[in-house]
Amino acid sequence: MKENELNMEEKPSAMVRVATFIVDRRNLFFLLFGIAIIFCLIAANWVKVENALSAYLPKTSETAQGLDRMEEQFITYGSARVMVMNIGYDEAKKIADEIDARDDVYMIAFDNTSSHFNNFSALYDITFAYPEDDPAALDSLDQIKQLLEGYDLYVSTSMGNAAAEQIQSEMQVVSLIVAVIVVSVLIFTSQTYAEVPVLILTFGASALLASGTNFLLGTISFVSDSVTIVLQLALSIDYAVIFCNRYKEEHQRLDIREADIVALSKSIPEISSSSLTTIGGLIAMLFMQFGIGKDMAICLIKAIAFSLLSVFLLMPGLIMLFGKAMDKTRHRSFVPKIPFVGRLDYHTRHVVPILFLIVMIGAMILSNKTPYVYGYSKIETPVKNDTQIANEMMSESFGESNFVALIIPAGDYEKEKKLLSELEKRPEVDHCQGLSNTEAMNGYMLTDKLTARQLSELLDLDYEVAQLLYMAYAVDDENYAKLINGRSSYTVPLIDMIMFLYDEVEEGYVTLDDEMYETLCDAHSKMQMAKDQLQGKDYSRALVYLTLPQEGEDTFAFLDEMHEIAGKYYGDDVLVAGEATSQYDLKKTFDRDNTVVNVVSILAVLAVLLFTFMSAGMPVLLIAVIEGAIWMNFAFPALQEKNIFFLGYLIVSSIQMGANIDYAIVIAGRFMEIKDSMSKKEAMIETLNFAFPTIITSGSMMALAGFFIGQLSSDGAICGIGQCLARGTVISIFLVMFVLPQILLIGEKVIEHTSFKVSIPLKLDHGMGLVRVDGLVQGAVNGVVIGEMHALVRGEVNAIVRMGKISPADESDIPPEELIEQKTTEGGAE
């Protein structure tokens, strides 16, 4: 077709030229997207997922330092807690003996106290003879499950990826449900059935590209891996809907290709501007100390970028492909007009803003009292996985288990023994387990110092052999002075002497009979495993079992006291690691991240709105409405006295500020555009009728996606995000429909007086005869015209040109088909 058929200027704008290239080279983009999608389907298997929240704590946090030091210094063997219900003690003891006899089990803790047998239930604390990351440990656990098959069995372990697999399975169900919701909403809000596959293909491509490129980030969190696709849909479906609606509007006067080009040229700046508020809200999460915020922000910003690319580069080609089908499958709009909402808002304009201010202040106060938690122990999720059920059953019968690892400098067993003894006297401590208080043989502790005679009696070893052994140890340890001062009183820690004796036997310097050698090997094996877990090259580790819950002010206060107690022996070179410490560190990061996320998200969105509306008043009003929605959202848990995982607040408040404010922008922008051309009442009715389809499309998707995430996930973090997102979106929709209009009506003067738009001198142009009108004009053209025009007018034009120009035209500017139609009409008239 000829270029002038687009009713554009002779030299199209840069944006039109870009749009023309994209539409006309659509097969090239189909090919590129096809290749990229195939690659991403393969690359999706390369993505590594981190399942521990503690891995995202700042490197300076005590938990991060403790985990690094433990990984460097110690070996952690696989362990599991196994509970068998409806069983007698004799049978439970028999099972314990069978498990203990296994070669793949290092030790099993079981006795007839209430800690291990209660209410006809037995609890076995099993430690395997393999490191926890060794697949053999999981195999051993599976074999024990088979051994206990037929019993009423519950198992809790940190080994393997059972939790991650459960989350993945749950999110697959959520994704399927959300897909059905998306299709249903799009059909309901569409004007032609064939636009639905266009929108779905566009989003599907962007989702695959976003998930398939996550491997470039190295490792992503289980939270990002689980909810990014669903949130991407909720955050970015607007872009495809905006472009589709713009195309249908242009297609009313242009053919498919021309409408596609014009719609794309207008949509690129419009959609890019809309995405900035969402990205601005997500940017706030980049400043969080807690690394999951940065992880999710990068994943979501990347996802939005791919959504934009899919809308700008793939969707124009899909419209060309489905254009004729869209024309044939038109149907009436199922979205009703809502003039009654506009009338209600207009009549309540003097009352609602005052009520909103009161409610907002109350919500702000309540939201500051929201009971945030930093671990999963106090969170109730609608569904529970096998591990959660097992932990609950164990807690009911045996109470909660809470322990922390105390990491101290190695080398001084006496000092360690005194420290553990002092801790065990505290009511907050049930018991401690370290090398210095772990029994080895016949009542001796691992670190008890024995003379040569005591060792010979313990091992039934010849006394002279024991003396020679002690002499060799002293020479090896360069303790000549102690040996000379008193050979009979020279003592060595039992664990050190057993290790030394074993090495001497293995090297052939000492010979033992078979029975003695077997006893030595057994003792060495158990002591070596204890040493692997509790003593490293530079540091020792002791497990401190607390009588306190995993989190709470009393627990956090005692963690500080533990540092004070241990500091008397070791100074500042002490670390405490465990679930309680991790949650304490999370609380510390939340105190700082809470402020940062709020301030940065508001500033980022404020900057975008300032340049969007060129007014200082408008951004303040819009942000006040959405900030009010955020406070109301998190006032509900305070009213319900329901614990909420802190991560839900940090992430959802950013998304609410960045994404839900788009709803407010749609209403505010439309109202400011038309308020001067009709009465304020009619303008508000028209504004809400115009905005409602967009808001209900995007908002319902986000709210329903959040709802199903919150109802179908067993993970406390993911569940909390979903619940808060659903509730927050519904509140935001309500406020922009029933509160924002009144604020705009009352604050109209404030918006105008705080405007900093640069006034452009207006000129009154005049044209007679055949006149070309290009640009945003206002005036009379056989009637009054206000708006953007690209037209040829035969007649008289008197108009104020706000943007563009009025210039003379001649007959050659009229498209050929228009001339034919005109002549035909004139001939018929004659």
Side-chain angles (χ1 to χ4, degrees), residues 26-44:
R26 55 188 176 276
N27 289 332
L28 170 63
F29 289 109
F30 285 156
L31 176 63
L32 294 176
F33 269 85
I35 294 172
I37 289 171
I38 293 172
F39 172 79
C40 287
L41 286 171
I42 298 171

Side-chain angles (χ1 to χ4, degrees), residues 158-414:
S158 60
M159 299 187 301
N161 297 313
E165 292 169 359
Q166 176 78 17
I167 292 172
Q168 187 177 22
S169 174
E170 291 167 353
M171 293 312 298
Q172 287 175 350
V173 174
V174 171
S175 298
L176 181 62
I177 293 174
V178 170
V180 173
I181 291 171
V182 168
V183 173
S184 301
V185 172
L186 290 179
I187 291 175
F188 178 76
T189 58
S190 67
Q191 294 175 337
T192 167
Y193 293 118
E195 73 184 60
V196 176
V198 172
L199 296 173
I200 291 174
L201 288 172
T202 301
F203 174 75
S206 64
L208 289 174
L209 293 175
S211 60
T213 53
N214 281 334
F215 78 94
L216 297 173
L217 303 178
T219 301
I220 64 173
S221 72
F222 71 96
V223 180
S224 300
D225 184 58
S226 301
V227 302
T228 294
I229 290 182
V230 177
L231 291 182
Q232 179 186 5
L233 167 66
L235 291 173
S236 60
I237 194 68
D238 277 355
Y239 310 150
V241 172
I242 289 172
F243 178 34
C244 188
N245 289 341
R246 175 67 75 172
Y247 162 76
K248 289 182 290 187
E249 181 182 338
E250 298 295 336
H251 189 40
Q252 292 177 3
R253 61 186 183 86
L254 300 171
D255 66 17
I256 295 175
R257 174 180 173 274
E258 295 166 346
D260 201 3
I261 292 173
V262 174
L264 181 60
S265 68
K266 294 178 179 179
S267 295
I268 290 176
E270 181 181 355
I271 294 172
S272 300
S273 175
S274 174
S275 69
L276 289 178
T277 55
T278 304
I279 293 173
L282 296 175
I283 284 174
M285 294 197 293
L286 293 173
F287 293 88
M288 287 170 54
Q289 280 187 317
F290 188 42
I292 272 190
K294 181 178 180 180
D295 181 79
M296 280 203 70
I298 292 174
C299 287
L300 285 172
I301 290 173
K302 177 168 66 67
I304 289 173
F306 278 116
S307 295
L308 292 174
L309 286 176
S310 297
V311 170
F312 296 156
L313 302 180
L314 177 64
M315 191 171 170
L318 293 175
I319 286 177
M320 293 295 295
L321 201 62
F322 287 85
K324 293 182 179 179
M326 291 171 67
D327 291 341
K328 295 177 181 178
T329 57
R330 291 184 180 277
H331 61 79
R332 67 178 183 85
S333 176
F334 299 123
V335 180
K337 298 291 184 180
I338 52 170
F340 60 94
V341 176
R343 287 193 290 268
L344 174 65
D345 290 346
Y346 180 79
H347 291 304
T348 58
R349 64 189 184 281
H350 297 297
V351 177
V352 168
I354 298 173
L355 293 176
F356 171 69
L357 181 62
I358 295 172
V359 173
M360 186 173 69
I361 293 173
M364 179 185 66
I365 296 171
L366 280 174
S367 66
N368 289 328
K369 298 179 180 179
T370 299
Y372 295 110
V373 293
Y374 309 92
Y376 291 173
S377 60
K378 294 185 178 181
I379 295 179
E380 294 185 4
T381 55
V383 297
K384 293 180 173 62
N385 57 42
D386 292 341
T387 300
Q388 289 171 320
I389 294 172
N391 288 335
E392 285 185 3
M393 298 298 292
M394 292 175 189
S395 296
E396 286 180 10
S397 297
F398 302 100
E400 293 185 3
S401 175
N402 179 26
F403 68 89
V404 293
L406 180 63
I407 306 167
I408 53 179
D412 194 330
Y413 295 135
E414 290 299 321

Side-chain angles (χ1 to χ4, degrees), residues 50-59 63-64 67 290-291 582:
E50 174 58 63
N51 296 306
L53 288 174
S54 57
Y56 291 92
L57 282 164
K59 293 299 181 184
T63 298
L67 291 175
F290 188 42
S582 174

Side-chain angles (χ1 to χ4, degrees), residues 486-658:
R487 184 187 304 177
S488 61
S489 61
Y490 177 49
T491 58
V492 177
L494 175 58
I495 186 172
D496 293 346
M497 184 52 67
I498 293 294
M499 296 295 174
F500 181 73
L501 175 58
Y502 180 82
D503 291 341
E504 294 294 295
V505 171
E506 290 298 303
E507 292 175 10
Y509 297 122
V510 177
T511 303
L512 302 174
D513 59 44
D514 292 343
E515 184 178 352
M516 178 65 68
Y517 180 71
E518 185 178 346
T519 301
L520 176 65
C521 288
D522 183 60
H524 174 269
S525 175
K526 291 184 177 179
M527 289 184 185
Q528 184 62 55
M529 290 190 69
K531 192 171 183 179
D532 288 342
Q533 296 185 89
L534 300 175
Q535 186 180 56
K537 180 181 178 182
D538 304 306
Y539 292 91
S540 291
R541 173 170 63 175
L543 303 181
V544 181
Y545 290 82
L546 305 177
T547 59
L548 299 167
Q550 285 188 354
E551 72 172 287
E553 293 303 321
D554 292 340
T555 304
F556 298 155
F558 184 68
L559 292 177
D560 290 333
E561 284 190 58
M562 283 183 62
H563 278 280
E564 295 177 8
I565 295 171
K568 294 187 298 185
Y569 299 92
Y570 296 101
D572 295 331
D573 197 9
V574 175
L575 290 173
V576 180
E579 277 298 321
T581 309
S582 174
Q583 291 167 29
Y584 192 17
D585 286 335
L586 289 172
K587 180 180 185 299
K588 293 174 183 176
T589 64
F590 176 68
D591 293 340
R592 181 257 189 193
D593 288 345
N594 185 16
T595 302
V596 170
V597 166
N598 281 326
V599 172
V600 175
S601 62
I602 289 174
L603 290 178
V605 173
L606 179 63
V608 175
L609 295 180
L610 280 173
F611 287 100
T612 300
F613 290 101
M614 294 295 179
S615 167
M618 179 67 85
V620 172
L621 295 178
L622 299 187
I623 288 175
V625 171
I626 299 302
E627 189 62 41
I630 294 172
W631 286 333
M632 291 178 194
N633 187 9
F634 292 96
F636 275 88
L639 291 171
Q640 298 169 334
E641 297 183 351
K642 179 181 178 181
N643 293 329
I644 180 171
F645 195 60
F646 79 104
L647 191 60
Y649 173 79
L650 293 174
I651 292 175
V652 173
S653 61
S654 297
I655 293 175
Q656 254 193 281
M657 180 57 69

Side-chain angles (χ1 to χ4, degrees), residues 66-67 69-80 104-109 125-133 137 158-159 403-408 410 413 416 420 433-439 446-447 495 499 523-545 577:
L67 291 175
R69 186 169 293 179
M70 287 194 295
E71 184 177 356
E72 174 191 337
Q73 296 280 323
F74 312 110
I75 297 174
T76 300
Y77 286 86
S79 62
D104 54 3
V105 173
Y106 161 58
M107 65 176 289
I108 178 172
D125 288 314
I126 303 172
T127 303
F128 298 99
Y130 310 102
E132 64 177 355
D133 56 356
S158 60
M159 299 187 301
F403 68 89
V404 293
L406 180 63
I407 306 167
I408 53 179
Y413 295 135
E416 177 185 321
L420 297 184
Q433 182 183 350
L435 284 179
S436 62
N437 67 351
T438 298
E439 185 175 350
L446 286 172
T447 60
I495 186 172
M499 296 295 174
H524 174 269
S525 175
K526 291 184 177 179
M527 289 184 185
Q528 184 62 55
M529 290 190 69
K531 192 171 183 179
D532 288 342
Q533 296 185 89
L534 300 175
Q535 186 180 56
K537 180 181 178 182
D538 304 306
Y539 292 91
S540 291
R541 173 170 63 175
L543 303 181
V544 181
Y545 290 82

